[in-house]
Amino acid sequence: MATDTTTTDVDIAVVGGGIGGLTLALALRERGIDAEVFEQADELREVGAAVALAANGTRILERLGLGDELAAASVVPTELQYRHWRSGTVLAGHPIGAEYARRFGGPFWGIHRASLQRTLSTAWGPERLHLGWCLTGIADGPDGVRLEFGGDRTVRARVVVGADGVRSAVRGYIGGGAPVYSGTSGFRGIVPTGALPSLPAPRAVQFWVGPGAHLLHYAVGETVNFLAVLDGPAEWPHAAGLGEAGPGELDAAFAQWHPAVREMVAAVPQSPRWGLFVLPPPPRWSRGRAVLLGDAAHAMLPHHGQGANQTIEDATVLARCLADTGPQGYGTAFGRYERLRRARTRAVQRAAWDTSAALHLPDGPDAAARDERLRALDGWLGWIHGHDADAAADALTDARR
Ligand SMILES: Cc1cc2nc3c(=O)[nH]c(=O)nc-3n(C[C@H](O)[C@H](O)[C@H](O)COP(=O)(O)OP(=O)(O)OC[C@H]3O[C@@H](n4cnc5c(N)ncnc54)[C@H](O)[C@@H]3O)c2cc1C
């Protein structure tokens, strides 16, 4: 970074060193553009156990040269299965593995968030990753956007990317609504597979679906990572996404469910309750020299396992657009980026929202119609997992030459 006594000058400042910020930095570097990443935390630590990466995300990570390392740390599930909440009957099942990778252009991985974070940050290296830098102020100027990080730390950047998550400070500057509570909440846990004697197909990704709730799990190493989602509470009483739950509330919610589900939720101490929020699309993704990426632009419900995957898609597309124009052509680059990403992320966000209700239907004709849709993978998820974000960006930018 070039510095004078008060201000540091950078070309591209990425605010947030999460999955999106680091993937963007790597994708920019791959295209010959340097960036500086500013992360508020003093050390990178991922909350929330594990993450499922689908072909639309893994194909990009493979292209960035991270495939071998991530594959070694991941579990490829045997199948994607939807099961009846009480009987355990398979309502729909789709093999994952070589056939999935061939069909959708990349593997499906279950991976600890810490492993993913470590791979990304190691690949990026420490020199341009500034830990303990929390963005507190932002203002545009004729020769760059001025970023304040507390104390006397100020950065002037030609371009700033807000990859700073659901409570984004950059979004506050660009304009956009506050997070919206979905009326649902989740509990998470990691259970040794050996503690689940009733669990059929322990290495499959499984959704157990029933009235007012569902439970998703997948294998990570010799453990099973689960997310249990319940309707309610009707209002979210806490300031942030994490809140308390009454003693035994999770066990009680699943008391009538299949033994495998009961074993899973009983095997770990009850986690805090996660309020599930979305961020509606802002009127515009950029303002002047600032642009949004990932959860800061479109935080979504986790029911298609797509928040991180969409963030990775954003990163490769924004890098492609900025490489095409150069950082000085940011206005054109931001316009193309938004054109490529707005409709896609909105469609996935909506689908995840609608899925919440569909997975919580009581037994009956509506549930039977849903099961029919679940059995058609291409119709249900293929449009999400098969999307090639790089090819879409190439097509648009090549057409504009
Ligand atoms: C329960 C649950 C389960 C999920 N499961 C999946 C899944 O299976 N698959 C999937 O694809 N997605 C999943 N997601 C979504 C996924 O975790 C997010 O979409 C993804 O992490 C978004 O990445 P991001 O980089 O945009 O934001 P984040 O990962 O939130 O990173 C933002 C970073 O910015 C930093 N930051 C914030 N403010 C500032 C500031 N002012 N200054 C500097 N730095 C700042 C933060 O410290 C953080 O490091 C799940 C989400 C939830 C809640």
Side-chain angles (χ1 to χ4, degrees):
M1 298 195 289
T3 54
D4 58 31
T5 46
T6 53
T7 303
T8 304
D9 277 308
V10 306
D11 249 2
I12 299 187
V14 179
V15 180
I19 295 168
L22 291 172
T23 307
L24 172 69
L26 290 168
L28 285 167
R29 178 190 282 167
E30 190 209 19
R31 295 182 182 277
I33 300 181
D34 264 332
E36 305 284 337
V37 180
F38 299 92
E39 164 59 44
Q40 66 180 359
D42 292 330
E43 59 175 313
L44 290 182
R45 52 182 175 266
E46 262 297 348
V47 290
V51 62
L53 296 174
N56 56 310
T58 58
R59 70 161 80 216
I60 295 164
L61 297 171
E62 285 187 326
R63 206 180 47 67
L64 290 171
L66 307 175
D68 288 347
E69 190 173 334
L70 291 174
S74 300
V75 172
V76 176
T78 51
E79 276 176 281
L80 168 63
Q81 293 183 332
Y82 294 85
R83 287 184 186 267
H84 185 268
W85 61 284
R86 192 177 353 220
S87 69
T89 306
V90 177
L91 306 170
H94 304 281
I96 303 183
E99 164 61 11
Y100 172 92
R102 191 195 55 71
R103 197 162 164 192
F104 296 124
F108 191 107
W109 291 327
I111 185 168
H112 282 293
R113 281 175 185 259
S115 303
L116 175 59
Q117 188 85 324
R118 193 164 42 245
T119 298
L120 292 170
S121 59
T122 304
W124 179 241
E127 297 82 16
R128 293 171 183 271
L129 175 59
H130 308 282
L131 298 175
W133 286 59
C134 178
L135 182 74
T136 53
I138 176 167
D140 212 351
D143 52 355
V145 62
R146 191 182 154 85
L147 307 172
E148 283 165 19
F149 289 94
D152 57 357
R153 293 186 301 186
T154 304
V155 168
R156 184 169 49 214
R158 191 176 276 182
V159 165
V160 59
V161 182
D164 48 348
V166 71
R167 316 259 162 202
S168 166
V170 180
R171 184 181 169 107
Y173 167 75
I174 289 177
V180 173
Y181 174 57
S182 65
T184 59
S185 55
F187 296 80
R188 304 163 96 176
I190 291 197
V191 184
T193 314
L196 303 168
S198 307
L199 181 65
R203 290 176 78 86
V205 182
Q206 302 194 49
F207 285 84
W208 299 76
V209 301
H214 76 272
L215 182 138
L216 156 72
H217 63 83
Y218 50 89
V220 180
E222 296 307 314
T223 63
V224 167
N225 173 67
F226 77 80
L227 170 65
V229 178
L230 308 177
D231 286 344
E235 305 287 334
W236 187 251
H238 311 283
L242 267 185
E244 296 298 317
E249 205 173 321
L250 180 60
D251 290 343
F254 290 99
Q256 305 301 318
W257 286 50
H258 187 275
V261 174
R262 285 190 271 128
E263 282 168 9
M264 209 173 294
V265 296
V268 287
Q270 181 172 280
S271 75
R273 185 198 285 270
W274 295 63
L276 298 181
F277 285 80
V278 298
L279 267 184
R284 53 194 177 167
W285 281 35
S286 63
R287 173 179 164 194
R289 298 169 182 272
V291 68
L292 298 174
L293 178 142
D295 274 12
H298 47 61
M300 56 186 66
L301 295 181
H303 310 318
H304 279 323
Q306 277 293 313
N309 289 292
Q310 290 305 310
T311 299
I312 292 166
E313 285 189 14
D314 284 354
T316 195
V317 171
L318 182 56
R320 172 74 168 84
C321 294
L322 280 168
D324 208 47
T325 61
Q328 69 285 356
Y330 59 84
T332 303
F334 291 173
R336 288 177 182 169
Y337 164 66
E338 182 171 342
R339 210 165 314 136
L340 282 158
R341 300 304 301 153
R342 176 182 277 277
R344 162 99 177 137
T345 51
R346 183 67 180 137
V348 178
Q349 193 184 44
R350 281 207 169 133
W353 181 278
D354 293 345
T355 295
S356 182
L359 297 181
H360 294 191
L361 289 169
D363 294 344
D366 288 346
R370 171 205 61 203
D371 298 345
E372 203 54 51
R373 290 201 305 282
L374 292 175
R375 283 191 273 277
L377 178 63
D378 280 324
W380 177 247
L381 284 180
W383 66 277
I384 300 178
H385 292 208
H387 183 77
D388 185 339
D390 285 313
D394 286 349
L396 181 76
T397 47
D398 289 348
R400 310 265 152 185
R401 288 226 166 94

